[in-house]
Amino acid sequence: MPTKRGPPDSARLDRVVAEARRSRDEREKTYRERALKLFPWICGRCAREFDRSTVQQLTVHHKDHNHDNNPAGGSNWELLCVYCHDNEHSRELEAAARDGPSAADATAAATHRPFSDLAERLKGGGRRDA
Ligand SMILES: [Zn+2]
Ligand SMILES: [Zn+2]
């Protein structure tokens, strides 16, 4: 009987990862089921209605984006179809991306202007002196 086989550590790690994944899935399933019991099966954005055969496309959005904030009354939840949910999150990413470059542009313009001003003043001043 061979004593050297695969390292037992990787098997243990696999089990830990699987357990973490399972407990996360269970937690998500729990708040999803609670939300589906609490609210009508309608997307909060496009008002699409869902039934037993399509409900897997209905997702729970966390209004404050904290998936650990699951108050019993469901005040942090919003039912959104997968498309609107996607939209909801990409809109925030776009907004963040839009704020970034424009702020950088403003800074660049502010630091750039004094130099072009200076160049014009030097040019004009030189001509006036001559
Ligand atoms: Zn929708
Ligand atoms: Zn969300």
Side-chain angles (χ1 to χ4, degrees), residues 19-115:
E19 263 164 36
R21 200 175 293 148
R22 201 185 323 129
S23 73
R24 190 201 59 193
D25 285 353
E26 264 165 31
R27 194 182 51 163
E28 281 180 8
K29 211 170 75 182
T30 309
Y31 72 59
R32 187 165 182 271
E33 272 168 13
R34 277 161 59 199
L36 289 176
K37 269 181 203 150
L38 216 62
F39 302 119
W41 293 2
I42 296 170
C43 172
R45 288 287 182 284
C46 67
R48 207 170 120 201
E49 287 180 42
F50 293 83
D51 57 30
R52 230 170 278 277
S53 67
T54 54
V55 73
Q56 70 271 8
Q57 291 172 51
L58 194 59
T59 60
V60 179
H61 171 61
H62 288 74
K63 291 179 184 177
D64 71 353
H65 294 202
N66 180 3
H67 286 217
D68 294 318
N69 183 13
N70 297 299
S75 57
N76 192 36
W77 300 331
E78 193 172 18
L79 290 181
L80 297 179
C81 77
V82 286
Y83 306 105
C84 293
H85 200 172
D86 233 46
N87 247 331
E88 180 71 18
H89 284 265
S90 58
R91 212 151 42 95
E92 281 147 24
L93 290 178
E94 277 166 26
R98 225 181 298 128
D99 285 353
S102 72
D105 283 353
T107 311
T111 53
H112 194 74
R113 204 169 292 127
F115 290 110

